[in-house]
Amino acid sequence: MAGPGERCVVIVVESPVASADIPGLCARARCELEDSDASHLVCDLSGLDEVDAVVVDALARVQLTVRRLGGTLELRGADVDLVALLAWMGLERVLRPVDDSAP
């Protein structure tokens, strides 16, 4: 989560996500951070109807893009299937969804 006083920008990721969409998604993340004074990017994943390895690849690449810019990434709205897939692929420590149900 963004720290106190830390500005963030939000991008929405919706289904379907294809391999060909990944460079554009990374470019969008880069532009959002570079065009603002934010250092924290939130990916709203609530629009994902289905998750697969391509979605995980896209999120991993966005994470790399954000880290290269010195920022942090937060995943919001991840469903249980995505959380399980991230764990199965061993990426639960790198791509950590925020628990939206926490008070």
Side-chain angles (χ1 to χ4, degrees), residues 15 45 48-56 59 75 77-92 95 97:
S15 290
L45 307 174
L48 287 175
D49 297 328
E50 53 187 68
V51 296
D52 57 16
V54 175
V55 170
V56 173
L59 295 174
L75 304 178
D79 68 10
V80 294
D81 292 334
L82 179 56
V83 173
L85 185 57
L86 290 170
W88 184 77
M89 296 177 85
L91 294 171
E92 71 274 12
L95 296 169

Side-chain angles (χ1 to χ4, degrees), residues 58-82:
L59 295 174
R61 290 177 189 231
V62 168
Q63 168 75 335
L64 287 172
T65 300
V66 170
R67 290 196 71 188
R68 285 181 182 137
L69 294 169
T72 57
L73 176 67
E74 178 178 319
L75 304 178
R76 284 192 194 155
D79 68 10
V80 294
D81 292 334
L82 179 56

Side-chain angles (χ1 to χ4, degrees), residues 19 32 38 51 53-54 56 58 90 96 99:
S19 293
E32 289 290 339
V51 296
V54 175
V56 173
R96 288 183 245 168
D99 184 2

